[in-house]
């Protein structure tokens, strides 16, 4: 008897960016404005958890890996100064 292959391929990693708004005004970047997640529902939870208290809504968009790396490096350079 041969063993069956029950290997289930993992979900691909997706990249997300989030902006927070207070009315029509865009708030400064939250604690985690770009992040990785395999599931949209988890990405929404991460974005809500990092929402500033004065924000009344958020905009979550999926971005490609190159944009993710550019935004992450830009944030690191701003934080390091």
């Amino acid at each position: 008897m041969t063993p069956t292959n029950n290997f289930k391929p993992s979900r691909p990693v997706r990249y997300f960016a989030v902006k927070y708004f207070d009315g029509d005004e865009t708030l400064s970047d939250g604690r985690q404005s770009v992040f990785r997640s395999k599931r949209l529902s988890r990405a929404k939870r991460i974005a809500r958890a990092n929402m500033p208290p004065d924000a009344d809504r958020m905009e979550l968009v999926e971005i490609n890996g190159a944009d993710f790396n550019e935004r992450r490096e830009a944030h690191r350079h701003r934080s390091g100064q």
Side-chain angles (χ1 to χ4, degrees), residues 20-50:
Y20 300 104
F21 298 91
D22 183 14
D24 290 334
E25 182 181 335
T26 303
L27 300 175
S28 62
D29 290 340
R31 289 178 290 177
Q32 195 171 5
S33 60
V34 294
F35 52 90
R36 296 182 267 237
S37 177
K38 291 186 176 186
R39 296 177 181 262
L40 178 60
S41 59
R42 183 172 182 272
K44 289 178 182 178
R45 279 198 316 267
I46 293 169
R48 279 193 300 266
N50 291 311

Side-chain angles (χ1 to χ4, degrees), residues 3 5 13 15 22 27 29 33 49-50 54-55 57 63 66 74 77:
N5 184 0
V13 173
Y15 303 94
D22 183 14
L27 300 175
D29 290 340
S33 60
N50 291 311
D54 52 341
R57 66 185 175 93
I63 59 175
H77 289 302

Side-chain angles (χ1 to χ4, degrees), residues 1-8:
M1 183 184 257
T2 60
T4 59
N5 184 0
N6 290 332
F7 176 72
K8 195 173 185 182

